[in-house]
Amino acid sequence: MTTPPKNWNRRSLATRAVHAGRIEPPVENTVVTPIFQSATYQAAAEYDAAYNDIRYVRMNNTPNHAVLAGKMAALEETEAAIVCSSGMAAITTTLMTLVSSGEHIVAADTLYGGTQMWLDHDAPDFGISYSAIDLAKPATWGAAVNGKSRVLYVETISNPLIGIADLAALVTFARSHKLVTVIDNTFASPVVCQPATAGFDIVLHSATKYLNGHSDLAAGVICGRQKWLDPILTRLNHLGGTLDPHSCFLLERGLKTLTLRVNRQSETALTLARWLDQHEGVAGVNYAGLDSHPRHALATEQFRGFGGMMSFYLADSYSPAAFLGSFDVILHAWSLGGPETLCVQPSKSSHVGLTERELARLGITENLIRVSVGLEDADDLLDDFSQALKAASP
Ligand code: PLP
């Protein structure tokens, strides 16, 4: 049905976000990919398809899936991509393909709470163990590797403390230990960073966040070389983490405005971070765009903009509950990457499944507030933060 894909990579990221992956020639001259709401597809009288090529909705290979895979491969500059039902489906399916019972993962010590809980509580049930590394201390990384280590797993920008991974150093380290490099690029998005261009083997996303960008669906993406993705797709097709065609359509629509949205969110986030940083009710701001961030120079070198995610500590005497309960525009809600600015306490949301000891180890205290900067006017957000801080003051 499709002609071979064009080489969209000679076009800019903004152009790729709009056009890459589109069906050519278009079905009925459509400009927008139609929704192929068909669970199954007719076969030729004689066919000889490999398992993953049998066209069936659970195999994530309908035309809507193919368009998205082409677009995401172009955006992350990888050979191929797979879309699936959620970020967690992308993460767990990838790790459960690359690592078998008896084997080991080397992972960053600050990760999205769902990933952290999977490593702590689910992976052991499958005979998979892990060791955590502090990304800021490369000299200690080697001690975490053992003869059974298979994967190095990190996040480009960590959730919720906005730690910044040194991509080049991690790739060099992983290659010297023959580890497959896997990175969750959700917080950055390909607009801010394309880790495959720094040598990462597999780039994962919760497409629920920036890629879709409208807070109205769940999806995941796995990008990388075909040789890595083939076995991951087989496992995904067995585990069943399918994205339905209608969500594919919505995700494709969201992706078309990705660069516009993320660039605007980065700009507003920097304004907000600078403003919060000088406020007496704020004890510290985690945002890589600030000179005070320990990895500011590295982030400036390896990123384009610093993204729309930040976190900050309310001063001790300020009440988190009063702060979160006093917004006029901003919403107190979890998730991120949408048009609405969202604030949340990670200790009570994304990381609520962690024990108190784990939370204390990571520095995720009750006064830590995470902000997903939306698309509202920056002045309206400053005004809302200002009045909420006033309401939270002693
Ligand atoms: N990775 C990061 C960095 C996240 O913040 C999240 C969810 O918040 C996930 C992965 C999981 O994504 P999903 O909720 O789409 O499964």
Side-chain angles (χ1 to χ4, degrees), residues 195-208:
T197 64
F200 269 81
D201 295 312
I202 296 176
V203 181
L204 304 176
H205 281 276
S206 165
T208 315

Side-chain angles (χ1 to χ4, degrees), residues 288 290-291 293-303 306:
L290 294 180
D291 295 342
H293 190 287
R295 290 286 181 104
H296 175 67
L298 173 70
T300 306
E301 199 182 301
Q302 64 183 18
F303 293 169
F306 303 98

Side-chain angles (χ1 to χ4, degrees), residues 85-91 111-115 153 155 157-159 184-187 204-209 217-220 309 334-336 350-351 370:
S85 57
S86 69
M88 283 309 294
I91 293 165
L111 295 172
Y112 164 61
T115 310
Y153 185 93
E155 294 176 359
I157 302 176
S158 75
N159 181 2
D184 179 337
N185 199 32
T186 300
F187 268 36
L204 304 176
H205 281 276
S206 165
T208 315
K209 320 297 185 193
L217 60 78
M309 295 303 298
W334 33 81
S335 200
L336 58 116
S350 56
H351 290 68
R370 192 188 76 181

Side-chain angles (χ1 to χ4, degrees), residues 1-3 19 21-27 33-34 36 63-64 67:
M1 190 207 59
T2 51
T3 52
H19 292 289
R22 71 186 190 197
I23 295 173
E24 302 206 53
V27 182
T33 314
F36 290 81
N64 291 105
V67 169

